Amino acid sequence: MKFLALIYSQPNSEPEYNTPEWDEMLKDYMAITEEFKRDGVFIAGEGLQDVSTATSVKVRVNQAELHDGPFAETKEQLGGFYLLDCKDLDQALQYAAKIPSAKWGTVEVRPVAEY
């Protein structure tokens, strides 16, 4: 069963770029990604660019409306994701707890709908 682990954090809550703490975070991400692959649960995973690069699209009366920024109005920002293939929600939650950003942000786990 597929699960999407959405990685959220508040701006400036993660280690600052180009510091030893940043390097440690990247090392932790590389290690957990390798663990996901080794365990056969990894399908995909990517980090996202800063929320300032987001564009939201709405279609109203057959017209596309473009808006700068993310759709959700929240203090936490979506920073990346993992798509995992796990046997059940419990296993997905165990893997999500290992994602480094869970230490300072939130990892939302949601089953992928299958049609």
Side-chain angles (χ1 to χ4, degrees):
M1 185 171 189
K2 294 177 187 166
F3 293 89
L4 191 59
L6 300 162
I7 303 165
Y8 292 94
S9 64
Q10 291 191 10
N12 303 319
S13 64
E14 63 187 28
E16 191 171 327
Y17 177 73
N18 213 14
T19 62
E21 293 80 15
W22 175 267
D23 293 341
E24 187 68 26
M25 178 187 71
L26 287 183
K27 188 173 136 191
D28 291 346
Y29 263 104
M30 292 171 64
I32 196 62
T33 300
E34 285 305 311
E35 180 179 334
F36 292 168
K37 289 178 179 177
R38 185 179 58 245
D39 291 353
V41 299
F42 180 87
I43 298 173
E46 296 289 345
L48 301 176
Q49 291 191 16
D50 187 81
V51 70
S52 65
T53 64
T55 304
S56 298
V57 179
K58 297 179 184 178
V59 176
R60 301 292 184 267
V61 195
N62 296 323
Q63 286 279 24
E65 298 176 5
L66 306 180
H67 301 274
D68 291 340
F71 169 71
E73 292 186 23
T74 177
K75 291 182 180 179
E76 290 193 323
Q77 301 173 356
L78 179 61
F81 69 91
Y82 279 102
L83 180 59
L84 304 173
D85 187 10
C86 297
K87 66 179 180 180
D88 57 28
L89 177 61
D90 288 339
Q91 185 184 40
L93 294 173
Q94 289 173 357
Y95 281 115
K98 295 180 177 182
I99 295 172
S101 294
K103 296 175 193 165
W104 58 82
T106 303
V107 178
E108 175 185 339
V109 177
R110 208 185 289 191
V112 174
E114 295 183 27
Y115 300 100

